[in-house]
Each structure stands twice: as C-alpha cells, then as structure tokens.
Amino acid sequence: MSFDQEQFLTILSREDALSRFQAAVFTRPLPTELRPLADALGHSLADDVVAPMDVPPFDRSNVDGFAVRSADLKVTTANNPIRLGLNQEVIACGVAPQQLVQPGTATPIATGGPIPRGADAVVMIEHTQPEGESTIQVGRTASPGQFVSYAGSDIARGEVLLRARTVIGSREVGMLAACGIARVPVVRKPKVAIISTGDELVEPGQSLRPASIYDTNGPIVSAAVSENGGVPWFAGLFADDEVELEAGMRAALTDSDMLVLSGGTSKGAGDVSHRILSRLGKPGVIAHGVALKPGKPLCLAVCDGKPVVILPGFPTSAMFTFHDMIVPVLRRMAGLPPRADTRVQARAPVRIGSELGRAEFVMVSLVEGENGLIAYPSGKSSGAITAFTQADGFLRIDALADHIAGGTDAEVTMFTPHVRVPDLVIIGSHCIGLDVVTAPLAHADLLVRLISVGSLGGLAAAGRGECDIAPIHLFDEKTNTYNLPFLRPGLELVPGYRRMQGVAFRVGDTRFEGRDARAAVEAALTDSECIMVNRNQGSGTRVLIDRLLAGQRPDGYWNQPKSHNAVAAAVAQHRADWGMTIAPVANAAGLGFLPLAEENYDFALVAARKNRPGVAAFLESLHSEETRTALERAGFRPV
Ligand code: AMP
Ligand code: MG
C-alpha cells in the first residue's frame, strides 16, 4: 500500500465516528477515588451520598429569646402579660442545656442554642420585658414549635443527600460539610497527556528559529482539557521523527488516561504519528478521517483501553475537532454531563458556501442588525487563530447542504454562555492606528468588534447596515482622491489620519539607504538581483507601485500579499529586497523607510447609526488630544 493510499481509507460521518469511539472507550466502569472535601470541587460524585446524621443534630432555637412551655402562655395578651420565672442558665451556641424548663419558667437562649428539656417553643426577646433579675413578662402567646428548628428538619439521617454524577460545587460542599463528611467518593479526573508534533514547533517563551512557529495546540488543548473536567499534562514537543515520537507516545500513555496529539495527520512527508498508533495497543485506530470541516484528518484510536487522539495541525481545526469530538468523550470519562451550549438565532448576511458531504463549522461574529442578530462569518482561513477570538460562536452547515443562503436564519452555538452584542461594530480595513483610537472605549466598558475584511468589504457591510463604521483607504485614479468617491448614499465620511507610504528595505542595504524613494526604485529596476514584493490589485498602495514601475515587471511583481504587514515581513525575511508599505509598519519591523506619498485612512459612517453611544465615543476619542498625540507617536498624521 502506498503512503498516499494509506490516508483516509474510509471517511466516517461525524456521528458514526463518535459512536464507534465511545463504544470502544467506555467498556468498563469509570475509575473512582476518595477525595478530601477541600479538593473535590468540580468532580463528579461516584456514588450516592446518604446522610449519616440529622441536620440540625438537635432541636434548636431560630431566634434570640427564651425557651418556654407554650401551654404557659395560652391566655397572655399585651394588656395582660404572663410572668415567667427565669432559670439560672443561659443557653448560648455550643452550650448543652442542663436544667429542665418547669411550668411557669423560661430559659434565656441564643439563636442556634439547643432547646432544653421541658420547653417546646421560643419567644423572641423583643416580645418580653425584664422584671428584675429573675423574672420576665411575656405579652404574646406562643404556639408549640414556635421558632424551633427540629432535629433532621434540614437533612434527615438516611436520606440521599446527593445523587451519583452530581458535580460538586460550593453548594454541594456545604451539604457534605454540614453532615461532617470529610472525604467523598468521586470519579477520578482523567489525566490527559498532550503532545504537539512538528519539526517547526517552538514552545512559547523560547525564541523562534527561522521558519519555525510557536506551538499553539499544546496550550489550547491543555486549557480545553481543564475546562472539561480533565487534568492536562503537557508531555512535550516532538519532531516528526518516528522513533523518538513512538517512545514519547508510549511514555505519555503509560502515565495517563488519554493521549491527545496534534499535527502529522495530513499528507506531509513528516507525518508519522498515525502509523505509530497501529502499534500502540488494541483495538487501535477507530477512525482516520471524519467528514468534518475543519477537521477531516482527525484520527481516533483506542490503545489498550485508553483513548488516543490525533488532532489536525491547524489550530482552529484542532480546536473545533477537540470541542466537537473529544470533549464529549472527555466529559463522560470525568463523569460530567454533556456541555450545555447556548444557542441563538441569527441571520446570515451573505451567502455562506460549504463543501457537500462534510459537516462544516463556520465561525461567526454577532452584530446587532435592524431586525435582530446578524451572524457575520469570520473571513479568516482555517489556519487563523484570531478567527476564534474574534468570533462569538459558530454555525454548523449540515453535510448534506452546500451553502446557507444570504438572509436566512441560522442557529449559532455560542463559545460563551452570555451573548454580549458589541456597542460598536467596525468592519473594513484594519490598521494598528485603529487600535489606538478604540483603546479608550474598552476602558469605558464599551465592547468594540473589529472585523477585518478590507475596504471594499467594509463598504458593502456598511451598505447593508451591518456595521457602524467602515474604515477605508481607497484611491480613485480618475479624481486622484481618496475615499470620498466610493461613498454611497447613507454613508458619511469622517476624516481619519494620514499614513505615510514609502519604500521599505533592510537597514544597511546601500541600494536604498539614504536615497530618495523614486531614485531608489529606479536604481533597483536596473539591478536584476533585486527582488520586489508587490501589493494586491485594488489597493491604493498598488496604484502607487504601478505608477512607479511605469509598466515594468521586475522579479517579485507577482508576489501580491494583501497587507502592509506581509510586505514588511517579506522584506525583513529576505524573500524580497523592497516593497511599498506604511511607515509605522516598516518601523515596527525594524526596516529602513523612504517616504513617498501619504494615503488617507478615513471612516465611512453609517448615518442612521450616528447617534449610538459607541459611535459617539469613537468620534470623541478620534478627535481627542490624547488620541491624536498617541497616533502621532505611532507614526500617523491625524487630520
Ligand atoms: P500537520 O497536520 O502536521 O500537517 O500541520 C498542518 C499545519 O498546522 C501546519 O501549518 C503546521 O505548522 C500547523 N501546526 C501543526 N501543529 C501545530 C501546533 N501545535 N501549533 C501551531 N500550529 C501547528
Ligand atoms: Mg506537522
């Protein structure tokens, strides 16, 4: 069998894969342990807990007052009080009564004090009058049992206090403590070993090597394991080396109840972990390839009774498959109920396409539309970790559907139980200067949602009424102006700031150092070794570049990234020698910069939403002295 054929021999549906996996994992009762009450929080009770005693353990007073015989007070009234002799003891909390309450007498008692023999009721101190040292007058009748809590009235000995599979929270801790229970039988939290695989991975905190990236999946999975009742144990980063990885997997599995790996499941030359799985124990691989998007390369196995999972490498894919396919199993192992997800209805503003035959998850940000919530699909690819943090939840497109039509209602599963609709929605081109302008809003407890879809996408969203503000920087060649020609009815232009565009190069490159931008580019065009990085068609920067090049197509022309940051990265990493970007981005990347022309970064305001508090706060910040100073410091020129 060739390496390629070995992959994804049978793709299972999500439901089939999950049920086969569960059937193979849950063949035995869950392991249990006795835990000290103080360490039992969040655990699931393994057995019913039966109350070993009555609570309260004795009849006790509910008020400060006097323990009495109710029969003595049958005929009392305010005008005709009854006189009772005081017994010579005071029943404070924790004091066991010694004396009998004889007819015609009363014993002082505190809230929580045990009712003395002979008494059957308590009168409140407020309804009595002292009369010398040894007598009181009582001006009200008392019914039998008045202000008495009887033994066992809260918890009766022998009753089931808590049922098996109750998750222990502070209230449950309280009940157990009231009965004097110091150790509780709980389901042992599964210890989950986590391994990240890939030659390119570096642990956060270490410095990146060339071509390396930080391990994202390890921390994500660790956190998600904790959130769902497991105890995470990060067993390390492993290169794509079959021998080392196999040793690492065996060691990790010996010391844990479950092993979660990520990476190495797609068709890369270094992908080895799934091959190791077949040697780790019976029954072995249950599913390799599940009809999920993202997440197709998921691999589920059970090795000698322990689940072993290989998540896809892309962090968002890893996160989705973990939550969708692994969390149900992990929670069941921990004795926890399935997670209760909050779901809301929201409208899809645009058509969302989907691959037929795979259940597809689409992350969405919720914004408030004219007629309810709108689920704005996150434009990021499956490799984008920010897609998760910018999204409020996701919608699922069934395997049998190939799209959701724009304008239809969809059910959104929320990442957190509380829907918080943003106070200000900004959809359009992103800029680090925007972070400066919106910073004060967070301190004023206003939630800002930034959805970065580029200038044209922002204008379209503004036209549909999905945002308050669309930041744009669009150059109109006909009029030689920025932004204004692109506004449609219903939108107003608020001037933002200027961003200096120019040529970025590596410091010390004498082809550029100390020259004028135009002269430097002219010289670069005669140097066949000099590689440029371009920008995407439709960007204002591209117009500027094309004018400079005047029809020439130097090496690198077809490399056309969509952002100022990508241009700077290409130059900084020697993939190109020069490119056009904005000054703050070139500075941040440590590059040299030759200024050329300013571009206008402005805000298209949806006129109908102008009076929203979030918009007012944004404008106030934009025009404030503090923000203007901060923008200047970051390399922008406010207008
Ligand atoms: P793989 O499944 O190993 O082919 O990985 C697919 C993609 O996910 C590659 O771009 C990897 O660099 C990336 N990736 C794999 N593992 C991780 C990880 N632990 N953290 C961040 N990215 C990863
Ligand atoms: Mg890999």
Side-chain angles (χ1 to χ4, degrees), residues 320 342-344 346 362-368 373-378 386-395 412-422 425 447-451:
F320 260 116
T342 303
R343 296 194 166 85
V344 298
V362 180
M363 277 180 270
V364 293
S365 300
L366 290 180
V367 300
E368 186 95 67
L373 293 174
I374 294 172
Y376 213 93
S378 152
T386 47
F388 250 104
T389 42
Q390 285 168 5
D392 295 299
F394 60 89
L395 45 87
V412 176
T413 304
M414 303 296 294
F415 289 135
T416 56
H418 305 291
V419 187
R420 188 175 168 201
V421 175
V425 180
L447 181 67
V448 180
R449 172 67 29 80
L450 293 171
I451 300 175

Side-chain angles (χ1 to χ4, degrees), residues 519-556:
V521 169
E522 241 164 68
L525 289 176
T526 63
D527 178 354
S528 62
E529 301 280 281
C530 200
I531 297 184
M532 73 169 294
V533 50
N534 203 348
R535 274 296 305 275
N536 56 306
Q537 191 78 48
S539 63
T541 309
R542 171 64 174 271
V543 174
L544 205 60
I545 296 170
D546 280 341
R547 284 184 178 178
L548 265 183
L549 295 181
Q552 300 183 69
R553 299 273 184 277
D555 196 2

Side-chain angles (χ1 to χ4, degrees), residues 214-263:
Y214 283 117
D215 170 30
T216 316
N217 295 342
I220 290 173
V221 173
S222 297
V225 163
S226 298
E227 282 173 351
N228 289 285
V231 178
W233 165 46
F234 185 60
L237 292 179
F238 283 82
D240 294 308
D241 175 287
E242 195 151 349
V243 175
E244 264 179 46
L245 183 58
E246 178 161 356
M249 284 169 74
R250 285 185 187 279
L253 203 51
T254 311
D255 265 344
S256 66
D257 302 300
M258 177 171 180
L259 172 59
V260 179
L261 286 90
S262 66

Side-chain angles (χ1 to χ4, degrees), residues 584-598:
V585 168
N587 294 344
L591 295 174
F593 184 76
L594 311 176
L596 186 64
E598 279 188 329

